[in-house]
Amino acid sequence: MQTLFSVNSFKLVLLALIALLALVIWRYSSVALTGEPDKPRFMRSLAFTLSAVVFTLISNHLLLFWLGWLAISLALHQLLLFYPERPRAQLAAQKKALSARLSEVLLAIAFTLLYLHFGTANISTINTMLASAPSSLILHSAAILMVLVALLKCAQLPLHGWLIQVVEAPTPVSALLHAGIINLGGILLLLFLPLLRCSPIASFILLVTALGSTIVAALVVSTRISIKVRLAWSTVAQMGLMLVEIALGLYTLALLHLLAHSCYKAYAFLHSGNAVNHYLAAQLAEQAHPRARHWLVSLLLAVALVSLTQQVLPLSSLSSAVLLILAITVLLVPTLQLADNRRPARVLLALVYAIGLLILYFSSKTLLQPVMPTPHSVTLAADMLSSVAFVGLFMLTLLLRYQSHRKSINKVFIWLNAGGYLDEWTTRITLKIWPYTAHTKACHKVPALQEAK
């Protein structure tokens, strides 16, 4: 008898992540919302959301998986509207609801196609049959639909606006969304990897769309000041990068990225209250821009470190090597700048830190390899395209940071600071489909919103 629920090593890792996030966010919420009249309602919605995520993850039946997927969106909607009198919170919730309904319809169609093609709704059986199934129009269609669902769930451009605006919700909601629920698009593709492998067309759509979203969102991050808004745009970029890794076939790296990003974003949002202190400390510190030689030496050291490491533990693609080199370069630059101020010991310390990060990276990948293996080599054209895109993103970020006073760069800076004006049309469409109506809490006799009107 086919089981309705199943757990494997991949799901166990995700369940452990969910348990950790649930513990931290629940404890933070219970303290942060002390004295809030609607705290019980918030905690009930939070518990229901976490339960829906676990239910969806362990489901081994297409219908149960889809029902869990729907339940997550409905529960999250209640959390987003915890302060219903806030206009931006209502707008974000409405955008999220429309995007969620579209993703649910597309997912239902994809699941229906799989059921009609294989004659079973058991997910494990479908994945087993997909491993040896020849490509067909139905499988291509189902794979493309799942890619679209993943792009919608991960808030990729241009349907990203709701994720930027949900910062109106309480901080624990932002942590839950950015550290957990936003990953569901990538989790969906990792659960149905045999289907994605059957369709190079779907993988190409995923690669191009996610890569474009990653570049634009990462550039926007460099122009924003608000801590939470920067974190939200960073999530769009990070989710895009995770989807690029899946499209390239770097499944182990994608899982590692998912785990690391979840832990970082939960900490970043729950710790965002201390951002003012960090900002003041940075203002009191020495402000000096690194010179070209600092960047060049850092780049050469990063290339040397990654090249030496690759002799022992080969990297699976050129694009992953490029990402590592650029990350270590950024890490070493401030230290080399301090070395000019008679602090040469800092360079050795930074090198030790960089080596430690490389060891942690490769050891984590080795541990996750049996959980989510990377079975085949990366397509050369896709790998080269991604590598060029990452280098271009790095160079554009430096120009925006250090050359924004130039007229041409300043125009790009202004366009990016406005988010490329990509969200305006989705806002207009949302308000046409679902016009804004002011909501008030019963405990407020004269809401400020209605007074303004």
Side-chain angles (χ1 to χ4, degrees), residues 198-393:
C198 287
S199 178
I201 299 174
S203 296
F204 176 77
I205 294 173
L206 180 64
L207 175 65
V208 173
T209 307
L211 193 58
S213 186
T214 300
I215 293 172
V216 174
L219 291 174
V220 171
V221 171
S222 64
T223 68
R224 307 313 286 266
I225 298 175
S226 170
I227 298 299
K228 282 192 174 183
V229 173
R230 281 173 60 92
L231 288 173
W233 276 103
S234 170
T235 297
V236 177
Q238 293 293 336
M239 289 298 100
L241 181 57
M242 181 184 67
L243 295 178
V244 168
E245 291 160 356
I246 294 175
L248 290 172
L250 304 174
Y251 307 135
T252 310
L253 179 58
L255 177 57
L256 176 60
H257 191 163
L258 187 154
L259 298 175
H261 176 262
S262 296
C263 295
Y264 162 70
K265 275 295 161 64
Y267 171 81
F269 271 101
L270 298 180
H271 200 252
S272 59
N274 293 326
V276 175
N277 295 332
H278 294 317
Y279 174 78
L280 293 176
Q283 292 297 106
L284 294 174
E286 299 177 1
Q287 298 292 325
H289 296 318
R291 299 177 181 178
R293 60 187 176 86
H294 295 138
W295 287 105
L296 180 59
V297 174
S298 298
L299 179 62
L300 293 175
L301 287 174
V303 170
L305 286 175
V306 174
S307 299
L308 290 174
T309 307
Q310 193 172 5
Q311 299 302 317
V312 181
L313 297 169
L315 291 165
S316 50
S317 69
L318 174 63
S319 53
S320 59
V322 169
L323 282 175
L324 274 178
I325 290 171
L326 296 179
I328 294 174
T329 300
V330 174
L331 174 68
L332 293 176
V333 162
T335 305
L336 289 176
Q337 187 179 350
L338 288 174
D340 288 347
N341 299 328
R342 298 179 181 178
R343 298 177 183 176
R346 292 289 187 92
V347 178
L348 180 60
L349 182 62
L351 287 174
V352 172
Y353 184 47
I355 293 172
L357 288 178
L358 283 172
I359 294 173
L360 178 62
Y361 168 76
F362 281 102
S363 59
S364 300
K365 277 191 65 178
T366 302
L367 289 174
L368 292 175
Q369 179 69 28
V371 177
M372 184 56 61
T374 299
H376 60 277
S377 58
V378 179
T379 304
L380 179 60
D383 198 19
M384 291 296 296
L385 174 63
S386 302
S387 301
V388 172
F390 295 149
V391 173
L393 171 60

